[in-house]
Amino acid sequence: REDETGTPSHPLAVTPTRPPAQTSAPPPPQQSPAPASRKRKGGGGGLDDLVNSLKKSKKTSIAESEEKWKLYKKESGLEDELALNAKDGYLGKQAFLARSELREHEVRLHSKRKRR
């Protein structure tokens, strides 16, 4: 449905109080974009320089948090305490699991032999 101005009528539509202003002045001439073959002389390009500087200085959040953690450890003196209490890494844990499984297997075999 349309009203007398040709715009669709809607219960929530806002209607302008006066019609848009009509100007008789011609629109300004459009500038044609610079040809791609033209290059700026002298390395101006302020926006290009800004974009490039932002790209170079980006850090990931993981890298930032790693740096902050290292700084915190130094400032609070936790480095020595953490080094003393450090456990083996992944390989150490795997070796422990292998030893414990072997021990459990030996205990089961020993208990079976006792029953006989």
Side-chain angles (χ1 to χ4, degrees), residues 64-79:
E64 278 187 39
S65 63
E66 186 177 343
E67 287 177 8
K68 287 179 183 179
W69 173 242
K70 286 179 183 178
L71 181 65
Y72 176 76
K73 287 191 302 186
K74 281 184 182 179
E75 289 176 351
S76 61
L78 287 176
E79 288 180 324

Side-chain angles (χ1 to χ4, degrees), residues 15 31 42 57 97 116:
T15 57
Q31 294 179 351
S57 65
L97 290 174
R116 293 181 188 181

Side-chain angles (χ1 to χ4, degrees), residues 34-50:
S37 63
R38 281 169 95 186
K39 292 186 178 183
R40 290 184 179 180
K41 295 179 182 177
L47 288 178
D48 291 335
D49 293 340
L50 178 65

